[in-house]
Amino acid sequence: MFEMGIGSGDLDGTFCGPSLAAFAGAVTDALDTGTAFLSYWPTTFAHSSGRTCIDWEIRS
């Protein structure tokens, strides 16, 4: 599975996992442990609606 930067000219894409299931597993592992997925770190914040939301911080 690849992330494509449509509109940015990134035609090669970034490899995110061998399947959608592996990608979903890696993302949920990052959320559970608070560790990075690729260069993205999950953080949570309270939305004005009162719901908790996830933001992904880009770190090198």
Side-chain angles (χ1 to χ4, degrees), residues 5-58:
I6 297 181
S8 70
D10 179 12
L11 300 178
D12 294 327
T14 301
F15 182 74
C16 295
S19 67
L20 184 57
F23 167 75
V27 170
T28 55
D29 286 345
L31 292 169
D32 284 342
T33 62
T35 57
F37 172 72
L38 300 176
S39 295
Y40 301 92
W41 293 77
T43 58
T44 58
F45 65 95
H47 188 268
S48 60
S49 67
R51 295 184 175 168
T52 300
C53 297
I54 300 167
D55 190 20
W56 293 89
E57 292 181 7
I58 300 173

